[in-house]
Amino acid sequence: MVAADNLQKTQGQTTFDLKAYLKDRQQLCEAALDQAVPMRYPETIYEAMRYSLMAGGKRLRPILTIATCEMTGGTIEMAMPTACAMEMVHTMSLIHDDLPAMDNDDYRRGKLTNHKVYGEDIAILAGDGLLAYAFEYIVEHTKDVPAERVLKVISRLGRAVGAAGLVGGQVVDLESEGKTDTSLETLNFIHNHKTAALLEACVVCGGILAGVSEDDLQRLSRYSQNIGLAFQIIDDILDITSTQEQLGKTAGKDLASQKVTYPSLWGIEESRNKANQLVADACQELEPFGEKAQPLMVIAHYITQRDR
Ligand code: GRG
């Protein structure tokens, strides 16, 4: 289904059916991921990798890659291997984040965490396996895209994942544990790296695959940094206002550990206002893309309206 199929006419006004769009894209991604990581010998590791990869989740990251690639003139087919790789990297980061040495969580995506089922040793290796395979998968499966674009995607993803991205954010987060005086600057550093960096890579890489100009790449980068921070602010709010059943992971952890979060600094209402402002700023960056930007604009609003 192309994005235009999700346009609906209601009382003479054209609206975008986000629910149908997300469901359609989630199904496409689920099928592609299922195919991307089949069961093989040694079964233990493939089973552990598939356990977390196929455990659901919103599939926001691969959907962003596909939506950006389509908006900038590419196709779903061009984007899908990179989209799958983004979800592999995201899933590996969740597996490692849940380990006893990190956040020590028992539930994720409504199921027991990977190490609870397979043990810490296999969970670490399942994360490593997904991380390495993500890069291999992009190189081996991307078709009809010039090689230099694929190289750029590999480079951007590597940067987003390493010490300049997720790993760096996680380290500062670990160092902030137990501290009640974490500054806003440090909090922003943590989430710009832990959360926004991968979301940015998803969006920017979608554009790179389609061959966007440097100016448009900068616009996509600003859009995704804004939605990345908004995503984290809402994540912090949901940790307070939602239940474990709704989130599929332990709720109320931040309050219990007295962690400094956006709502602990600003309160819930002000945090929500800031998230809405970030989404408005993000959407402004998309104006030059016209009508075609509708899916990315609607996804940006979904980020602040979501309940899980
Ligand atoms: C990447 C090499 C490497 C190591 C990992 C553990 C770690 C370093 C980083 C932590 C990254 C992390 C878990 C950030 C949190 C991001 C976040 C808000 C996750 C929740 O994302 P959702 O709500 O989850 O999109 P679903 O399950 O819907 O996909």
Side-chain angles (χ1 to χ4, degrees), residues 144-271:
D144 301 323
V145 177
E148 69 266 22
R149 292 188 200 164
V150 179
L151 276 178
K152 273 191 196 158
V153 164
I154 296 290
S155 164
R156 286 299 283 240
L157 180 54
R159 196 199 312 164
V161 165
L166 268 80
V167 168
Q170 180 76 349
V171 168
V172 179
D173 196 11
L174 291 172
E175 286 172 352
S176 306
E177 238 171 56
K179 290 186 187 162
T180 51
D181 60 350
T182 303
S183 66
L184 178 60
E185 197 189 0
T186 303
L187 197 62
N188 283 339
F189 180 93
I190 292 170
H191 297 307
N192 281 332
H193 291 78
K194 256 188 90 163
T195 302
L198 188 58
L199 290 167
E200 185 189 1
C202 292
V203 170
V204 164
C205 289
I208 290 173
L209 289 164
V212 292
S213 67
E214 191 48 47
D215 278 357
D216 281 349
L217 223 48
Q218 294 302 327
R219 285 190 185 96
L220 293 175
S221 172
R222 289 192 295 269
Y223 160 84
S224 48
Q225 284 172 11
N226 281 323
I227 63 163
L229 212 48
F231 186 91
Q232 186 58 49
I233 294 173
I234 299 301
D235 216 63
D236 287 356
I237 294 176
L238 290 174
D239 184 71
I240 300 168
T241 58
S242 295
T243 62
Q244 177 167 332
E245 287 66 39
Q246 284 168 311
L247 296 180
K249 60 182 180 184
T250 317
K253 268 201 96 173
D254 297 340
L255 274 180
S257 61
Q258 293 183 304
K259 194 173 175 175
V260 174
T261 62
Y262 291 107
S264 81
L265 289 179
W266 298 329
I268 291 184
E269 203 184 320
E270 186 55 16
S271 298

Side-chain angles (χ1 to χ4, degrees), residues 87-105:
E87 188 65 20
M88 290 176 205
V89 169
H90 170 55
T91 303
M92 78 72 54
S93 80
L94 299 179
I95 295 173
H96 282 195
D97 192 52
D98 291 335
L99 286 167
M102 305 254 185
D103 253 14
N104 193 16
D105 260 303

Side-chain angles (χ1 to χ4, degrees), residues 37-48:
V37 188
M39 281 298 295
R40 287 198 183 110
Y41 178 82
E43 283 85 2
T44 313
I45 192 64
Y46 286 99
E47 193 188 309

Side-chain angles (χ1 to χ4, degrees), residues 65-77:
T65 303
I66 294 169
T68 311
C69 189
E70 281 192 288
M71 179 184 81
T72 50
T75 62
I76 297 179
E77 292 71 28

